[in-house]
Each structure stands twice: as structure tokens, then as C-alpha cells.
Amino acid sequence: MNSPLSNVRPSVVMEQHKHQFTKSEQKIYAYILEHPEQVIYHSLTEFSEASGVAEATALRFLRKLGYKGFQDFKFLFAREIAEAGTDQGETYLERIRENMVQAIRDTHDVVVQDELSASIGAIDRSDDVVIFGIGSSGIAGLDMQHRLMRIGKHTSVVTDSHFQMMRAASLNEKSVVIAISLTGGTKDIVDAVRVAKEKKATVIALTNYVKSPLTKYADHILLTSAKESPLDSGSLVSKVAQLYLVDLICTGLTMNNYEEAERVKREVSDSISGKLY
């Protein structure tokens, strides 16, 4: 099998598209999650009947996700299940480690190089870069500001929803907004980004989902891949995936401006050396 999605786990692909599923597609998705071991042994007819939809609907669902057909999906899904294994005896230490490592691997697999390069270029060209984030996404935004400051790229981070609206209203076509939201559905972030877009600012979205209220306003979309239930909101796994993207952006900017970045890093190190014993 040589699927264009062969490097991305099917569970990741489905997770990132679930916000745009129809009611019938939600039934298929729920069945796959609840009966993964059975799915890999089904025929298309058995699969569609078990999911409670027509065969044509099941095929449309899989092709919508980018698979050639049921066999293509089933092959990749079976490989994912085999790789996951059972690991009944693993401790929570190992489970947390594996979840964090897997989040980075999956995020690596869904990063689109052209989108990453375009985002880095937009940030590099702008002298008015603002980062929007709320809650745990705001923490990722603050880390990004810190990283960029060390290479001489000045940005502002706004984590208060009222200030975000005020800042968005002052943007223009030369401004760049980096909006960080795992779900892409945080209303305060979306509202501020909508205003930024009305002011013709370039919007870069760091989010977990291909289709969301946030991505409707984004010029560039950089995807993370971290599964998070409502009860796990703000988990470290999701932040690790966000920080991986932040690291990619900051490294790309450093490479574009290597000599200047190195000079600023040396000066920053010298200026704070007196703060250490």
C-alpha cells in the first residue's frame, strides 16, 4: 500500500477531521473507536452494516479523510493497532512518557512543510507580530515570545480576552497574528482573530483540527496532534505538541537570520549572566 497518508496514523487523521463529520460519519467514527479490533476483519459490507450506514456513505467517509478506499484504510489501521500493542503491564510513568513521545511523532507527521515555511516567512517579514492564547495555550504563547526574544524577534503576547480585542483592532496588513488554540473553538480567540482578519492581518493558526471556527480565518494552519478529552483539558501532552511547533518556527527563523540571531543570543546570555551564582 502506498497511501499519501501512510505516515499518519488513521486515529490521528480521524481526530483532526471529526469537527466536520456529518451525523452518519459520526456513527462510523464512533463504531471504529469502540470496535477497532473488529474493523480490521470486516468487509466493506460488514463494516457499513455494523456502523449503521450505507456502503456508499462509508466509502465517502474514508475518501473524505484521504484514503483510496476501505482496504487502504484497513491496512493502515491494522498496522496502527499492531504497533500500539496491548502493554497491559505498563506503569503510568511509561504511559505518560509514551503519550508525550507519540504526540511529538504524530505532530511531526502532520506538519506540512510548505505551510511551515510560509508561516516562518510571514513572521520574519513582519515588525508587528502578536501572539494570542488563553489558558494553557497562553503558556505556549509566552514560551514562544521568550524563544523569539532570544534571537532578536520582538513580539507581544496577549492572554486577556479584552486586551486581545483591543490589540486586534490596532492591526493592519503588515501585522501577523499567531493564534494558539488546541480545539480551534475558543470563542475569545476566534472573536479576536476575526477582527484581526477584518484589519487584513496575516493569521497563523496553531491548532489540533483541520476544520474549526479558528481555521476559517487562518491564512496558514500548523497542526498539532494531541488527543485530549474535555476532562484532560490543558494536559501537558497537548502543550508538548504545541511547543514542538513553536520550536520548529523559532528554529526556522534562526536559520533564516543565523548571524544576527547568534549575535543577539550571545548578548542576551552576557546580559543575564550576572543573575546566576
Side-chain angles (χ1 to χ4, degrees), residues 59-73:
L59 272 178
R60 275 197 304 272
F61 168 78
L62 296 172
R63 288 170 179 162
K64 181 177 182 177
L65 295 174
Y67 298 102
K68 298 172 186 175
F70 183 55
Q71 291 302 317
D72 186 27
F73 168 81

PDB file of all heavy atoms in Angstrom, residues 59-73:
ATOM      1  N   LEU A  59     -17.799   4.647   2.221  1.00  0.00           N
ATOM      2  CA  LEU A  59     -16.724   4.936   1.271  1.00  0.00           C
ATOM      3  C   LEU A  59     -16.449   6.434   1.172  1.00  0.00           C
ATOM      4  O   LEU A  59     -15.299   6.869   1.129  1.00  0.00           O
ATOM      5  CB  LEU A  59     -17.084   4.392  -0.113  1.00  0.00           C
ATOM      6  CG  LEU A  59     -16.683   2.941  -0.401  1.00  0.00           C
ATOM      7  CD1 LEU A  59     -17.154   2.525  -1.779  1.00  0.00           C
ATOM      8  CD2 LEU A  59     -15.172   2.766  -0.283  1.00  0.00           C
ATOM      9  N   ARG A  60     -17.534   7.223   1.148  1.00  0.00           N
ATOM     10  CA  ARG A  60     -17.363   8.688   1.094  1.00  0.00           C
ATOM     11  C   ARG A  60     -16.610   9.184   2.320  1.00  0.00           C
ATOM     12  O   ARG A  60     -15.765  10.075   2.224  1.00  0.00           O
ATOM     13  CB  ARG A  60     -18.724   9.383   0.999  1.00  0.00           C
ATOM     14  CG  ARG A  60     -19.278   9.494  -0.405  1.00  0.00           C
ATOM     15  CD  ARG A  60     -20.378  10.539  -0.472  1.00  0.00           C
ATOM     16  NE  ARG A  60     -21.453  10.284   0.469  1.00  0.00           N
ATOM     17  CZ  ARG A  60     -22.510   9.517   0.209  1.00  0.00           C
ATOM     18  NH1 ARG A  60     -22.618   8.911  -0.978  1.00  0.00           N
ATOM     19  NH2 ARG A  60     -23.455   9.338   1.110  1.00  0.00           N
ATOM     20  N   PHE A  61     -16.934   8.602   3.465  1.00  0.00           N
ATOM     21  CA  PHE A  61     -16.265   8.975   4.721  1.00  0.00           C
ATOM     22  C   PHE A  61     -14.759   8.735   4.624  1.00  0.00           C
ATOM     23  O   PHE A  61     -13.953   9.608   4.966  1.00  0.00           O
ATOM     24  CB  PHE A  61     -16.871   8.158   5.863  1.00  0.00           C
ATOM     25  CG  PHE A  61     -16.103   8.234   7.159  1.00  0.00           C
ATOM     26  CD1 PHE A  61     -16.206   9.341   7.984  1.00  0.00           C
ATOM     27  CD2 PHE A  61     -15.294   7.191   7.567  1.00  0.00           C
ATOM     28  CE1 PHE A  61     -15.502   9.410   9.190  1.00  0.00           C
ATOM     29  CE2 PHE A  61     -14.594   7.238   8.761  1.00  0.00           C
ATOM     30  CZ  PHE A  61     -14.696   8.355   9.572  1.00  0.00           C
ATOM     31  N   LEU A  62     -14.367   7.562   4.145  1.00  0.00           N
ATOM     32  CA  LEU A  62     -12.948   7.207   4.065  1.00  0.00           C
ATOM     33  C   LEU A  62     -12.225   8.049   3.025  1.00  0.00           C
ATOM     34  O   LEU A  62     -11.086   8.479   3.241  1.00  0.00           O
ATOM     35  CB  LEU A  62     -12.809   5.720   3.745  1.00  0.00           C
ATOM     36  CG  LEU A  62     -13.359   4.774   4.826  1.00  0.00           C
ATOM     37  CD1 LEU A  62     -13.365   3.342   4.335  1.00  0.00           C
ATOM     38  CD2 LEU A  62     -12.553   4.898   6.111  1.00  0.00           C
ATOM     39  N   ARG A  63     -12.872   8.306   1.899  1.00  0.00           N
ATOM     40  CA  ARG A  63     -12.245   9.131   0.861  1.00  0.00           C
ATOM     41  C   ARG A  63     -12.149  10.590   1.285  1.00  0.00           C
ATOM     42  O   ARG A  63     -11.218  11.295   0.894  1.00  0.00           O
ATOM     43  CB  ARG A  63     -13.021   8.982  -0.447  1.00  0.00           C
ATOM     44  CG  ARG A  63     -12.790   7.610  -1.094  1.00  0.00           C
ATOM     45  CD  ARG A  63     -13.692   7.325  -2.249  1.00  0.00           C
ATOM     46  NE  ARG A  63     -13.388   6.003  -2.814  1.00  0.00           N
ATOM     47  CZ  ARG A  63     -14.204   5.322  -3.604  1.00  0.00           C
ATOM     48  NH1 ARG A  63     -15.387   5.827  -3.933  1.00  0.00           N
ATOM     49  NH2 ARG A  63     -13.839   4.137  -4.074  1.00  0.00           N
ATOM     50  N   LYS A  64     -13.107  11.024   2.079  1.00  0.00           N
ATOM     51  CA  LYS A  64     -13.062  12.381   2.625  1.00  0.00           C
ATOM     52  C   LYS A  64     -11.823  12.567   3.503  1.00  0.00           C
ATOM     53  O   LYS A  64     -11.235  13.652   3.563  1.00  0.00           O
ATOM     54  CB  LYS A  64     -14.334  12.627   3.454  1.00  0.00           C
ATOM     55  CG  LYS A  64     -14.466  14.000   4.086  1.00  0.00           C
ATOM     56  CD  LYS A  64     -15.811  14.078   4.802  1.00  0.00           C
ATOM     57  CE  LYS A  64     -16.058  15.443   5.427  1.00  0.00           C
ATOM     58  NZ  LYS A  64     -17.398  15.513   6.056  1.00  0.00           N
ATOM     59  N   LEU A  65     -11.406  11.485   4.177  1.00  0.00           N
ATOM     60  CA  LEU A  65     -10.224  11.526   5.028  1.00  0.00           C
ATOM     61  C   LEU A  65      -8.931  11.388   4.224  1.00  0.00           C
ATOM     62  O   LEU A  65      -7.847  11.581   4.765  1.00  0.00           O
ATOM     63  CB  LEU A  65     -10.287  10.405   6.071  1.00  0.00           C
ATOM     64  CG  LEU A  65     -11.421  10.499   7.100  1.00  0.00           C
ATOM     65  CD1 LEU A  65     -11.443   9.244   7.973  1.00  0.00           C
ATOM     66  CD2 LEU A  65     -11.289  11.745   7.956  1.00  0.00           C
ATOM     67  N   GLY A  66      -9.066  11.035   2.922  1.00  0.00           N
ATOM     68  CA  GLY A  66      -7.879  10.937   2.071  1.00  0.00           C
ATOM     69  C   GLY A  66      -7.459   9.528   1.715  1.00  0.00           C
ATOM     70  O   GLY A  66      -6.433   9.331   1.061  1.00  0.00           O
ATOM     71  N   TYR A  67      -8.255   8.511   2.118  1.00  0.00           N
ATOM     72  CA  TYR A  67      -7.914   7.135   1.794  1.00  0.00           C
ATOM     73  C   TYR A  67      -8.515   6.748   0.443  1.00  0.00           C
ATOM     74  O   TYR A  67      -9.550   7.272   0.032  1.00  0.00           O
ATOM     75  CB  TYR A  67      -8.429   6.190   2.892  1.00  0.00           C
ATOM     76  CG  TYR A  67      -7.793   6.476   4.224  1.00  0.00           C
ATOM     77  CD1 TYR A  67      -8.483   7.182   5.201  1.00  0.00           C
ATOM     78  CD2 TYR A  67      -6.495   6.084   4.500  1.00  0.00           C
ATOM     79  CE1 TYR A  67      -7.901   7.480   6.425  1.00  0.00           C
ATOM     80  CE2 TYR A  67      -5.894   6.379   5.723  1.00  0.00           C
ATOM     81  CZ  TYR A  67      -6.604   7.071   6.664  1.00  0.00           C
ATOM     82  OH  TYR A  67      -6.016   7.373   7.863  1.00  0.00           O
ATOM     83  N   LYS A  68      -7.842   5.799  -0.230  1.00  0.00           N
ATOM     84  CA  LYS A  68      -8.321   5.364  -1.540  1.00  0.00           C
ATOM     85  C   LYS A  68      -9.605   4.550  -1.430  1.00  0.00           C
ATOM     86  O   LYS A  68     -10.428   4.533  -2.341  1.00  0.00           O
ATOM     87  CB  LYS A  68      -7.241   4.524  -2.228  1.00  0.00           C
ATOM     88  CG  LYS A  68      -5.944   5.299  -2.491  1.00  0.00           C
ATOM     89  CD  LYS A  68      -4.859   4.359  -2.995  1.00  0.00           C
ATOM     90  CE  LYS A  68      -3.522   5.091  -3.127  1.00  0.00           C
ATOM     91  NZ  LYS A  68      -2.430   4.158  -3.503  1.00  0.00           N
ATOM     92  N   GLY A  69      -9.750   3.857  -0.315  1.00  0.00           N
ATOM     93  CA  GLY A  69     -10.923   3.027  -0.106  1.00  0.00           C
ATOM     94  C   GLY A  69     -10.823   2.305   1.223  1.00  0.00           C
ATOM     95  O   GLY A  69      -9.942   2.597   2.040  1.00  0.00           O
ATOM     96  N   PHE A  70     -11.704   1.347   1.430  1.00  0.00           N
ATOM     97  CA  PHE A  70     -11.748   0.647   2.714  1.00  0.00           C
ATOM     98  C   PHE A  70     -10.489  -0.182   2.950  1.00  0.00           C
ATOM     99  O   PHE A  70      -9.958  -0.219   4.068  1.00  0.00           O
ATOM    100  CB  PHE A  70     -12.992  -0.243   2.761  1.00  0.00           C
ATOM    101  CG  PHE A  70     -13.167  -0.950   4.077  1.00  0.00           C
ATOM    102  CD1 PHE A  70     -13.213  -0.231   5.270  1.00  0.00           C
ATOM    103  CD2 PHE A  70     -13.296  -2.328   4.145  1.00  0.00           C
ATOM    104  CE1 PHE A  70     -13.384  -0.868   6.488  1.00  0.00           C
ATOM    105  CE2 PHE A  70     -13.466  -2.981   5.364  1.00  0.00           C
ATOM    106  CZ  PHE A  70     -13.503  -2.252   6.537  1.00  0.00           C
ATOM    107  N   GLN A  71      -9.985  -0.855   1.912  1.00  0.00           N
ATOM    108  CA  GLN A  71      -8.795  -1.683   2.088  1.00  0.00           C
ATOM    109  C   GLN A  71      -7.578  -0.846   2.476  1.00  0.00           C
ATOM    110  O   GLN A  71      -6.769  -1.248   3.308  1.00  0.00           O
ATOM    111  CB  GLN A  71      -8.511  -2.476   0.801  1.00  0.00           C
ATOM    112  CG  GLN A  71      -9.536  -3.557   0.502  1.00  0.00           C
ATOM    113  CD  GLN A  71      -9.662  -4.574   1.621  1.00  0.00           C
ATOM    114  OE1 GLN A  71      -8.670  -5.011   2.186  1.00  0.00           O
ATOM    115  NE2 GLN A  71     -10.885  -4.958   1.944  1.00  0.00           N
ATOM    116  N   ASP A  72      -7.452   0.314   1.861  1.00  0.00           N
ATOM    117  CA  ASP A  72      -6.353   1.221   2.169  1.00  0.00           C
ATOM    118  C   ASP A  72      -6.408   1.638   3.635  1.00  0.00           C
ATOM    119  O   ASP A  72      -5.410   1.569   4.369  1.00  0.00           O
ATOM    120  CB  ASP A  72      -6.461   2.463   1.260  1.00  0.00           C
ATOM    121  CG  ASP A  72      -5.280   3.415   1.411  1.00  0.00           C
ATOM    122  OD1 ASP A  72      -4.186   2.951   1.777  1.00  0.00           O
ATOM    123  OD2 ASP A  72      -5.456   4.621   1.152  1.00  0.00           O
ATOM    124  N   PHE A  73      -7.601   2.046   4.077  1.00  0.00           N
ATOM    125  CA  PHE A  73      -7.791   2.440   5.478  1.00  0.00           C
ATOM    126  C   PHE A  73      -7.521   1.268   6.410  1.00  0.00           C
ATOM    127  O   PHE A  73      -6.825   1.394   7.425  1.00  0.00           O
ATOM    128  CB  PHE A  73      -9.221   2.951   5.680  1.00  0.00           C
ATOM    129  CG  PHE A  73      -9.601   3.111   7.122  1.00  0.00           C
ATOM    130  CD1 PHE A  73      -9.222   4.242   7.838  1.00  0.00           C
ATOM    131  CD2 PHE A  73     -10.324   2.126   7.786  1.00  0.00           C
ATOM    132  CE1 PHE A  73      -9.554   4.386   9.179  1.00  0.00           C
ATOM    133  CE2 PHE A  73     -10.667   2.263   9.116  1.00  0.00           C
ATOM    134  CZ  PHE A  73     -10.277   3.386   9.812  1.00  0.00           C
TER     135      PHE A  73
END
